[in-house]
Amino acid sequence: MAAKRKSFGLTKKALIIFLLFIILPTLGVGVIVQYRFTLVLRDQFVQATKVSLDTVTNQLEEQIKMVGDIADYLILNPDMRDFLRINAPLSGDQLDNRKQNIEDFLTFQLMSKNYIKSITISGFNGNSIQMGEPVRGSEQFWLNKADLRKGGIVWSEGYPIYSDWSGNVRLISLFRVLNSYTDIQVPLGHLVIRMDESSVAGLLESGIVKENGSVFVIGPEGESILQTGSPLPDGFRPNAELMSRLKAGENGFVTYNLKHSSYLTFYHEMKNTGWTVVAMIPQSVLDKELRGVKWTMNLILCSILLLGLTALFGFHYTIIRPILRLKKETNRVKLGDFSARVPIESNDEISELNSQFNEMVVTINELIEHKYKLELREREAELKLLQNQMDPHFLYNTLDMIRWTARLEKAEQSSQLIEMLSKFFRSSLNSGSYVTTIRQELEFVRSYLYLQQRRLGNRLVYTLYTEATVADAITLKATIQPLVENFLKHGLDRKKRANAVSVRCYEQEGEVWIDVRDNGRGLPPAQLEALNFSLRRASAGPGGRTGAIHNIHDRLSIYFGEAYGLEVIRSDEEGAWIRLKIPFTGNGGGLEHEKQPGGVETDDQDADR
């Protein structure tokens, strides 16, 4: 018995459609868009920071280059060479003149480059020049390094010193030994150009440092030249591992984890000094900038979902609920309550459907009260009467034959007979269904003929065949077997050595034709004519062989329509040929059985020809 189909109403379908086509796509698209947009904004942030870093670093490189150009100019300047020369010192007026020229040049540099604090020239001949802010403090460490470089430029780290103008300040200074232009190996004095560390830091902070970010200037030997911005946890400074990752990374950018925090880390190398500028910006800064965008996108998603939910409620109250109400009233009609009515509240298609439903209920009620109920009862009684006609003598004869066969044989034959009898009864019952398939009906006939052949022996030969395309076509139960049984009960010719019967099912002109043919005694011409006349008039004929024919014809006509039923093609001394016509309602695999004398079955499709 088929399992009862689970209820899956319109409300559940609407919810599922809403979930599958609104909620999930909206959330999916929203998450994807938000993720992709976050990546785009992150990329824009990174690119903007890199551009700012490059710009600021280029400006710093330009300042450093200008400071270096001042040192180069002073070496090449003839006034400087005369001012610092050791042999043949100048006279007082000449020395004052050279000093004035140098001071004028340095004054111009100090005034045009506000990031330079002061410039000091100390000659080994005792002459010196101090321009800019006067400072006091020890710079001997850097002077010693400059001596070792023998004319090469040495840049200091940021260091503190005291200014008579500004108090305590921090400087980044250029130290260089000024060698003789004519004899490069002869040192003439020291040059110190002091840059304001806060000016350099301000330049870096203006273009790079965000909230809580830090910028480092790292020397070529890993020393810290400058640090500005917010201090990092535990006083962290870029180490060898971070510098290695930065140089190995792509496009001068990596993400560095420090104390459970992520930092977007950028770097840029300064070619003229060997310095590296490293900027570390907390990931939280980027997240803060993205927070507003995320809130906006989440608000849009919520608005879309809210609109979808509103649409769902509107769909439920305007469409689903009226349909469910119509279903409820339809069930009342199904249970026999013809007072059911559906209210008409608008002028849309559903209201039109409700109006037609109300009219239909009224019409059905009138039909049931006056005619249709009585006619249905009569047809039902007629169908049940025709279906339940079965000759009980076959059951008694078969059981008696099985009993005697079990005594004479071992267990094998008895087992086969019992099995076929079981199949016969199962097919006849068919779970109480009124209809069956051609395949099942032929199996029913085969069981019957097998049992009859065990009783009749070689005197019975049968052939069953169906085309594959019609094997699963629908037919009524017990429409072929009674015709075969008719032949064995009334048409069997005992004078013949072998009585043959064949059943052939095939498609013809959009219908299924079932031909039952035998070589029995047939009907006399007068009786055949009367039978054909009664079939055309659909009147009940005499009992016996023609009674089964009438029953089958009436059942088919009542169930499938008056165009279908039973037709006697031929019935004479050479045998009978009866054809059943039913509509073609299905397709499937084929089925063919043929039983020859001696208990041999064959699948020959042409065995009945």
Side-chain angles (χ1 to χ4, degrees):
M1 190 173 183
K4 186 177 180 180
R5 187 176 300 172
K6 293 183 179 180
S7 175
F8 203 68
L10 290 176
T11 303
K12 292 182 179 179
K13 290 181 180 179
L15 288 174
I16 291 176
I17 292 174
F18 175 75
L19 178 66
L20 293 180
F21 295 100
I22 297 181
I23 293 182
L24 294 181
T26 301
L27 292 178
V29 171
V31 170
I32 293 174
V33 170
Q34 190 175 86
Y35 173 74
R36 297 296 298 175
F37 194 66
T38 300
L39 291 182
V40 171
L41 291 180
R42 175 189 172 92
D43 185 64
Q44 290 180 350
F45 178 84
V46 169
Q47 294 300 324
T49 304
K50 288 174 61 178
V51 170
S52 298
L53 177 62
D54 292 343
T55 302
V56 170
T57 306
N58 290 335
Q59 293 178 3
L60 181 59
E61 284 183 321
E62 185 66 25
Q63 292 182 3
I64 298 298
K65 183 178 181 300
M66 289 182 178
V67 173
D69 289 344
I70 294 174
D72 293 338
Y73 177 80
L74 292 175
I75 292 176
L76 299 175
N77 191 334
D79 292 332
M80 178 63 68
R81 291 199 301 270
D82 292 339
F83 182 74
L84 296 180
R85 69 184 183 182
I86 298 174
N87 298 322
L90 299 176
S91 63
D93 293 337
Q94 290 175 330
L95 184 62
D96 291 340
N97 183 45
R98 301 294 191 277
K99 183 177 181 180
Q100 183 64 45
N101 291 338
I102 295 172
E103 288 178 347
D104 290 343
F105 170 76
L106 297 180
T107 300
F108 173 77
Q109 299 299 327
L110 288 170
M111 293 181 64
S112 62
K113 301 173 179 59
N114 57 2
Y115 50 86
I116 299 178
K117 278 281 190 180
S118 68
I119 300 175
T120 300
I121 300 173
S122 301
F124 294 154
N125 61 359
N127 297 330
S128 64
I129 296 176
Q130 173 71 39
M131 300 296 295
E133 295 186 21
V135 294
R136 288 178 290 165
S138 175
E139 297 176 329
Q140 190 60 43
F141 174 78
W142 307 108
L143 292 172
N144 293 336
K145 291 189 70 174
D147 292 339
L148 294 176
R149 293 294 299 274
K150 296 181 180 181
I153 293 177
V154 173
W155 283 98
S156 72
E157 300 175 8
Y159 63 95
I161 204 166
Y162 183 80
S163 170
D164 291 337
W165 293 357
S166 306
N168 293 323
V169 295
R170 289 185 63 85
L171 303 175
I172 298 176
S173 301
L174 178 148
F175 294 86
R176 187 174 189 177
V177 173
L178 298 176
N179 293 323
S180 172
Y181 179 73
T182 57
D183 189 356
I184 197 67
Q185 299 296 327
V186 178
L188 300 178
H190 288 122
L191 171 65
V192 181
I193 302 177
R194 303 174 183 89
M195 297 177 61
D196 185 8
E197 184 187 71
S198 62
S199 175
V200 176
L203 175 63
L204 296 175
E205 291 178 357
S206 65
I208 303 174
V209 176
K210 308 294 181 182
E211 181 182 357
N212 298 325
S214 300
V215 179
F216 302 88
V217 179
I218 308 299
E221 297 178 1
E223 69 275 18
S224 178
I225 303 297
L226 172 67
Q227 176 182 356
T228 184
S230 300
L232 298 181
D234 297 334
F236 175 82
R237 293 184 179 184
N239 51 29
E241 185 266 336
L242 175 58
M243 298 302 294
S244 176
R245 284 187 56 188
L246 285 170
K247 293 179 180 179
E250 296 182 358
N251 302 323
F253 162 73
V254 297
T255 300
Y256 190 76
N257 295 322
L258 179 64
K259 290 291 184 180
H260 309 294
S261 299
S262 294
Y263 289 83
L264 306 177
T265 307
F266 306 82
Y267 90 107
H268 185 97
E269 293 183 350
M270 298 174 61
K271 303 299 182 182
N272 56 354
T273 61
W275 294 351
T276 301
V277 180
V278 178
M280 300 184 69
I281 302 174
Q283 177 71 37
S284 58
V285 174
L286 176 60
D287 294 340
K288 185 177 181 180
E289 292 188 7
L290 296 178
R291 192 172 299 133
V293 176
K294 291 182 178 180
W295 273 105
T296 302
M297 296 187 69
N298 290 333
L299 179 62
I300 293 174
L301 286 177
C302 293
S303 300
I304 294 175
L305 293 178
L306 182 61
L307 290 175
L309 188 62
T310 303
L312 176 64
F313 279 110
F315 183 78
H316 175 78
Y317 281 100
T318 59
I319 297 179
I320 295 179
R321 190 172 69 167
I323 293 177
L324 293 178
R325 184 168 53 194
L326 179 61
K327 174 190 173 185
K328 178 181 178 181
E329 299 302 319
T330 303
N331 288 332
R332 289 178 58 190
V333 175
K334 179 181 176 181
L335 296 175
D337 183 4
F338 292 96
S339 63
R341 296 292 185 276
V342 182
I344 301 174
E345 300 173 347
S346 60
N347 294 324
D348 56 13
E349 288 80 359
I350 294 181
S351 296
E352 183 179 352
L353 182 63
N354 292 340
S355 176
Q356 293 177 0
F357 171 81
N358 293 337
E359 295 176 1
M360 181 187 68
V361 172
V362 173
T363 303
I364 292 176
N365 190 32
E366 292 176 354
L367 289 174
I368 290 178
E369 292 295 332
H370 294 88
K371 181 180 179 181
Y372 189 63
K373 185 182 294 186
L374 178 61
E375 188 172 317
L376 285 177
R377 289 178 179 175
E378 291 176 352
R379 286 296 181 94
E380 183 180 356
E382 185 177 2
L383 287 173
K384 289 183 178 179
L385 178 64
L386 293 175
Q387 182 179 356
N388 291 331
Q389 290 186 356
M390 180 179 292
D391 191 350
H393 295 291
F394 169 70
L395 175 61
Y396 304 146
N397 293 337
T398 302
L399 292 175
D400 184 67
M401 181 267 295
I402 292 175
R403 179 171 61 86
W404 285 103
T405 302
R407 288 185 178 182
L408 296 175
E409 297 182 353
K410 300 295 182 180
E412 182 177 355
Q413 255 189 338
S414 299
S415 176
Q416 291 180 353
L417 292 171
I418 294 172
E419 179 183 1
M420 297 306 291
L421 182 61
S422 175
K423 288 184 178 180
F424 178 79
F425 281 116
R426 280 198 301 269
S427 299
S428 65
L429 293 174
N430 196 20
S431 301
S433 175
Y434 186 68
V435 298
T436 184
T437 63
I438 290 178
R439 184 195 306 275
Q440 293 171 336
E441 182 68 8
L442 288 182
E443 187 66 23
F444 181 38
V445 175
R446 188 175 77 89
S447 302
Y448 172 79
L449 289 173
Y450 178 85
L451 294 171
Q452 288 291 2
Q453 191 177 61
R454 301 302 298 173
R455 182 170 63 90
L456 298 174
N458 293 338
R459 289 183 297 165
L460 176 60
V461 177
Y462 65 87
T463 302
L464 306 178
Y465 168 77
T466 179
E467 290 182 349
T469 55
V470 301
D472 290 327
I474 300 299
T475 186
L476 298 184
K477 188 174 68 174
T479 52
I480 302 177
Q481 185 271 339
L483 298 178
V484 176
E485 183 179 356
N486 244 15
F487 161 66
L488 294 178
K489 290 175 61 176
H490 305 289
L492 202 65
D493 190 350
R494 302 188 181 275
K495 297 178 181 179
K496 295 181 179 180
R497 181 177 179 181
N499 287 265
V501 62
S502 68
V503 179
R504 183 177 180 86
C505 308
Y506 56 95
E507 180 185 359
Q508 186 72 26
E509 299 177 359
E511 299 175 341
V512 178
W513 289 8
I514 304 173
D515 290 348
V516 180
R517 304 174 64 175
D518 61 63
N519 64 348
R521 294 177 296 180
L523 292 174
Q527 190 175 358
L528 176 61
E529 183 179 354
L531 175 60
N532 285 328
F533 179 77
S534 63
L535 290 175
R536 291 192 297 269
R537 296 289 301 272
S539 60
R545 191 174 187 186
T546 60
I549 293 175
H550 276 99
N551 290 340
I552 295 171
H553 177 75
D554 290 344
R555 289 171 59 203
L556 294 175
S557 298
I558 293 173
Y559 190 85
F560 292 113
E562 295 182 359
Y564 303 98
L566 183 146
E567 178 183 359
V568 180
I569 304 299
R570 189 193 69 205
S571 182
D572 51 28
E573 65 276 2
E574 295 182 1
W577 180 357
I578 300 176
R579 174 174 294 161
L580 282 73
K581 293 183 179 180
I582 60 175
F584 186 15
T585 57
N587 52 41
L591 174 66
E592 180 178 4
H593 300 280
E594 179 178 356
K595 186 69 175 180
Q596 301 293 347
V600 179
E601 294 189 9
T602 179
D603 292 331
D604 183 10
Q605 297 183 4
D606 298 323
D608 63 330
R609 296 180 181 177

